[in-house]
Amino acid sequence: LATHSASSDFGLVSGSNDGRIQLWTKAMELGPSLDLKSIGAAMPGGIRGLAWDAARRKIAVITESAELYELILNKDGRTLRSVEDGPLITGHAERRLCALAVHPCDPTIYATVGEDCCVNLWNAEKKRTLRSTKLDTMGRCCAFSSDGAFLCVGLGGVDKLTGERERKDGAFCVLDTETLCMVHEARDSKQPISCIAFSPDGITLACGSEDRI
């Protein structure tokens, strides 16, 4: 939970673990609100901090999933919305970053995957995230197809907090690079995938796993 007060018609703004930003009047009546999950926030752990610029009607929000959002209150005072389509900045928030792959056709673009189950596509020149998606299993390795159209991700691992293995140990998925939407998923191993690569012609995908297969 995070709060920030200001001298304006709305005296308080709060952010909660469920991802909701809520404005309150000075009489503590509910004002406009916004659920960050509705604009694609990953939200493991919720909102960690916020700052409100009442004069500019803007709110900066940081989440435990390493995302920074800029929100704005419309001039009518009834609607709270995001300035951008998604976060201004995004990162990997939990445990280890496991793999990085550079786009074969554009060296300014690269992908990262980690134990937070997030796949991020970055622009090195602009130093910001282009796209991000959250999988249901930890990412261990990744690789682009030779034309850069697809990104494959090897899955699996152990949750160090619970000591339990991931539900999809040994699975892999193929994502469309432009959208990061999943176009294929399969599981041919029972242990985490530790390395993965496309063949030069993009037809064959090779995977290596911790069960030596």
Side-chain angles (χ1 to χ4, degrees):
L1 179 67
T3 61
H4 190 190
S5 61
S7 178
S8 69
D9 292 340
F10 295 103
L12 183 72
V13 60
S14 64
S16 56
N17 284 340
D18 62 2
R20 181 171 292 278
I21 303 296
Q22 179 70 58
L23 284 169
W24 304 79
T25 68
K26 293 179 181 179
M28 294 307 293
E29 296 173 341
L30 291 175
S33 66
L34 178 69
D35 187 345
L36 290 187
K37 293 191 292 296
S38 69
I39 54 175
M43 297 309 301
I47 294 166
R48 302 298 296 173
L50 46 81
W52 185 12
D53 184 339
R56 298 182 179 179
R57 309 187 317 281
K58 290 187 176 182
I59 303 169
V61 182
I62 57 171
T63 72
E64 193 161 317
S65 53
E67 297 167 319
L68 170 63
Y69 290 86
E70 184 180 25
L71 311 181
I72 188 168
L73 178 66
N74 285 350
K75 291 182 178 180
D76 60 10
R78 298 179 179 179
T79 308
L80 194 60
R81 62 179 175 83
S82 177
V83 173
E84 302 288 339
D85 292 335
L88 298 178
I89 300 173
T90 261
H92 290 276
E94 297 180 271
R95 308 180 184 95
R96 293 185 298 173
L97 177 65
C98 296
L100 182 150
V102 178
H103 194 286
C105 304
D106 186 346
T108 67
I109 295 175
Y110 63 96
T112 55
V113 301
E115 292 183 351
D116 59 357
C117 302
C118 289
V119 180
N120 290 341
L121 202 64
W122 305 81
N123 185 297
E125 287 185 342
K126 296 180 180 179
K127 297 180 175 61
R128 64 170 298 173
T129 308
L130 298 175
R131 286 175 288 284
S132 181
T133 191
K134 189 173 179 66
L135 306 176
D136 59 3
T137 304
M138 294 177 180
R140 308 296 299 179
C141 52
C142 63
F144 283 101
S145 60
S146 57
D147 60 1
F150 299 104
L151 176 70
C152 56
V153 182
L155 307 175
V158 177
D159 188 322
K160 293 182 179 180
L161 297 179
T162 65
E164 297 179 356
R165 301 205 69 87
E166 291 289 279
R167 182 170 60 90
K168 291 185 179 178
D169 268 359
F172 68 90
C173 62
V174 179
L175 309 177
D176 182 293
T177 302
E178 286 298 316
T179 63
L180 290 186
C181 291
M182 190 178 300
V183 297
H184 181 71
E185 184 178 31
R187 185 182 184 186
D188 297 315
S189 176
K190 295 182 179 180
Q191 295 292 325
I193 301 295
S194 55
C195 57
I196 196 165
F198 278 100
S199 61
D201 60 10
I203 296 176
T204 304
L205 180 65
C207 303
S209 70
E210 293 183 6
D211 58 7
R212 301 180 183 181
I213 295 177

